[in-house]
Amino acid sequence: MAYDGSERAGAELIGGRYRLGERLGQGGMGVVRRATDELLGRQVAVKTLALDSGADPADALREARVVAQVRHPHVIVVHDVVEHEGRPALVMELVEGGSLADRLAEGRVLSPRETARLGLDLLDALTAAHARDVLHRDVKPANVLLEKDGGRAVLTDFGIASLPGATTLSRTGVFIGTPEYTAPERMRGGDAGPASDLWSLGAVLCAAATGTSPFRRDSIGAVLHAIVYEEVRPSAAMGPLVPVVRGLLERDPELRLGAAEARRMLAACAAGEAPPPAVPTPTVRDVVPRTPAGTPPDPATEGPVTAHPATAGPGARRGRARALPFVTAAVAVCAAAATVAALLAMQDERPAGTTAGPPAPTGAAAASAPASTPAPARTAVSGTDRFPSRRVTDERGFSLLVPAGAIRSTDGERVFYTSPDGAVRVGVRIRPVPPGGAIGVMRASDEDGPRSNPGYRGATVEETTHRGLPAARWEFTWDGFTRAEGARHTLDLAWEAGETLYDVWVSAPVGRVEEARSRFAATVESFRATGG
């Protein structure tokens, strides 16, 4: 009889010795239950395959063989394989205590030091697996068990583990893994090695310390876009863990933090010390960024930019060259999971209500546009022929020009529109005016700049007006959140309209400063509050 959740606890004996008890958890492929080993008198966990999951019974045997190869205190132990309803069932050690996902669901995040200790345990488990040429491929909070007594972390569920070079698609064409914890190179269908598991570890550390993955979004398409393109901005709640997380979440696996460096940094954090730098500080050189047309930017406003050799080297160029294949291949991967239609729609997304030109301002818009000047049917913007744009009307209650083909995403508070090549980002945040107003916000952001933006430099903050309203402008250069991304330049304007603070910014590579300035002027000038 197929298990349907109605069996009486303790009523079924399998393998001649394992008495099944309460259900401990259930995934897409099977059910895990507590059981009693009546021969040895110990508690174990039994993983049985769900009959309606489409799982191949051979996968259970493969998982058992894989785990048997990786013997480590932080890797789940498989004691036995028995038959249950004609299918293999795995008998594993019972880790008393729930998963990391269970803890986070209760709102109990880990402190930075606890997170560092967790990271060391998982890193040791992955290192042991990688030494056996085993890739886990599904490192996520639900697959991390936290022992109630002693605090040991145990990596479990090697059901989709594979050797390097294994395909990322199953026999039925379903994407293997959990998207928001999956490395970019796996998302694009490329070769994935141990570095892919380390990316997943970085995302798990973020979740452990903050409660959620940094790539959690409201759709598979938005998750994909966030992993491939968006700024990787670890939360300040991670404290000293921020450098190691940034290193693990490098999009280019060739530039990603290695296991040895990650262990050194995590050990320092676990001991309450400042983590050592990920790599020795190289000799820097001054370069003058060039615009797409090859014209140097105005030295009066740009000045020299410090370039990290790793940023300017072949690895960085490879990372940039891969940007478009990332999307193409990732769409192919998600097509196998029947989401290609949604992803293709996102490539030229027009939120509900988008029109060819801006709507006439009404309601809240009256506070952000001059009363004597009606909104034009189209906004004339300098430079749009060179830098094509389109107008979008966003569900958050605003309309503006963004790069043609831009893809929308949000982190909850902010809305982003990113150019198809992933290089130019337009951001919008709308909130009540905080104490200190627009200039107070910008000065506080400037003060926090060195912590929130690596390599923060050349910053200016000035009080100004926008359409006759109190405003503040902030401009700065920084190193970007990953070495592959490279140095960037950001322009930001915030203004007060009644009790609402509108904040609009544009960020682009330092080599595209002319485009950044043109788009920034166009974006700010075209912005209209729609009251939606």
Side-chain angles (χ1 to χ4, degrees):
M1 179 182 69
Y3 174 68
D4 61 4
S6 61
E7 295 150 311
R8 181 168 53 88
E12 188 173 3
L13 187 72
I14 66 173
R17 60 187 282 191
Y18 304 107
R19 182 76 61 183
L20 296 180
E22 64 181 307
R23 182 191 308 198
L24 299 175
Q26 181 169 356
M29 296 297 179
V31 177
V32 178
R33 299 171 67 183
R34 180 187 295 271
T36 300
D37 181 347
E38 297 192 339
L39 179 63
L40 298 180
R42 65 179 175 181
Q43 295 293 293
V44 295
V46 174
K47 179 179 180 180
T48 58
L49 294 180
L51 296 181
D52 59 353
S53 67
D56 188 336
D59 290 341
L61 291 174
R62 184 174 61 84
E63 179 181 0
R65 293 189 182 106
V66 167
V67 176
Q69 293 182 44
V70 186
R71 300 183 62 181
H72 192 275
H74 297 295
V75 174
I76 196 73
V77 175
V78 173
H79 297 307
D80 198 359
V81 179
V82 298
E83 184 176 294
H84 175 60
E85 296 176 343
R87 293 182 162 218
L90 274 60
V91 181
M92 305 176 292
E93 70 169 309
L94 177 66
V95 179
E96 293 285 4
S99 69
L100 176 60
D102 294 333
R103 174 168 176 154
L104 298 179
E106 297 170 358
R108 297 186 297 129
V109 299
L110 278 62
S111 70
R113 292 185 68 174
E114 289 174 325
T115 301
R117 287 192 287 268
L118 171 72
L120 287 171
D121 287 354
L122 297 180
L123 186 60
D124 285 350
L126 291 173
T127 300
H130 297 162
R132 294 283 186 174
D133 289 335
V134 172
L135 302 181
H136 188 280
R137 299 204 302 171
D138 200 19
V139 181
K140 61 182 179 181
N143 288 339
V144 176
L145 303 179
L146 302 178
E147 195 171 52
K148 184 168 54 178
D149 298 325
R152 179 176 64 118
V154 178
L155 184 61
T156 187
D157 200 344
F158 282 72
I160 64 171
S162 74
L163 299 177
T167 179
T168 58
L169 297 180
S170 73
R171 298 179 185 87
T172 56
V174 177
F175 179 74
I176 296 289
T178 305
E180 65 188 87
Y181 293 96
T182 300
E185 60 270 21
R186 285 201 59 227
M187 276 293 198
R188 63 184 173 89
D191 292 338
S196 298
D197 280 345
L198 296 184
W199 166 284
S200 301
L201 173 61
V204 167
L205 295 181
C206 286
T210 67
T212 185
S213 157
F215 307 108
R216 171 125 348 141
R217 300 294 186 271
D218 56 7
S219 70
I220 181 65
V223 169
L224 169 65
H225 182 261
I227 289 174
V228 174
Y229 278 148
E230 290 180 19
E231 293 179 354
V232 181
R233 186 184 288 266
S235 168
M238 303 200 69
L241 287 169
V242 169
V244 67
V245 167
R246 282 185 181 143
L248 291 171
L249 295 181
E250 280 282 354
R251 286 193 170 90
D252 188 337
E254 295 178 16
L255 299 177
R256 196 168 299 153
L257 195 64
E261 287 181 301
R263 160 163 275 287
R264 185 165 55 94
M265 298 173 75
L266 286 170
C269 293
E273 304 169 358
V279 293
T281 303
T283 302
V284 298
R285 61 187 178 89
D286 290 339
V287 298
V288 178
R290 304 187 71 83
T291 66
T295 304
D298 182 357
T301 57
E302 273 310 293
V305 176
T306 302
H308 192 302
T311 301
R317 287 192 293 273
R318 280 193 298 272
R320 287 189 290 272
R322 288 173 179 163
L324 287 178
F326 269 24
V327 170
T328 304
V331 168
V333 170
C334 292
T339 59
V340 66
L343 291 178
L344 292 176
M346 288 185 64
Q347 296 300 318
D348 191 24
E349 172 186 338
R350 292 184 181 273
T354 298
T355 61
T362 60
S368 58
S372 59
T373 305
R378 296 182 61 86
T379 303
V381 179
S382 174
T384 51
D385 290 340
R386 293 186 58 194
F387 309 119
S389 300
R390 67 184 177 96
R391 176 170 286 279
V392 296
T393 298
D394 196 273
E395 62 186 26
R396 293 288 182 90
F398 63 85
S399 172
L400 80 172
L401 289 177
V402 300
I407 301 172
R408 181 188 188 274
S409 61
T410 177
D411 64 2
E413 294 182 347
R414 302 171 297 174
V415 174
F416 303 93
Y417 282 91
T418 307
S419 61
D421 63 359
V424 179
R425 295 189 282 265
V426 174
V428 177
R429 184 180 183 186
I430 302 174
R431 55 175 166 157
V433 176
I439 187 62
V441 167
M442 292 307 197
R443 285 172 177 163
S445 297
D446 174 52
E447 183 177 349
D448 192 50
R451 185 199 59 78
S452 61
N453 297 85
Y456 182 75
R457 58 190 180 273
T460 59
V461 174
E462 60 179 347
E463 195 165 8
T464 183
T465 60
H466 177 62
R467 298 173 182 167
L469 300 170
R473 190 176 186 275
W474 180 31
E475 184 172 354
F476 60 95
T477 300
W478 54 299
D479 287 343
F481 285 115
T482 65
R483 291 193 293 270
E485 181 180 55
R488 301 182 64 81
H489 197 77
T490 299
L491 303 100
D492 192 343
L493 182 72
W495 68 94
E496 305 168 32
E499 297 180 353
T500 301
L501 183 74
Y502 294 92
D503 192 352
V504 176
W505 65 93
V506 172
S507 176
V510 292
R512 294 168 65 171
V513 171
E514 181 185 355
E515 179 180 357
R517 294 190 187 284
S518 176
R519 288 200 181 281
F520 180 65
T523 299
V524 169
E525 179 60 29
S526 67
F527 185 93
R528 296 291 184 274
T530 62

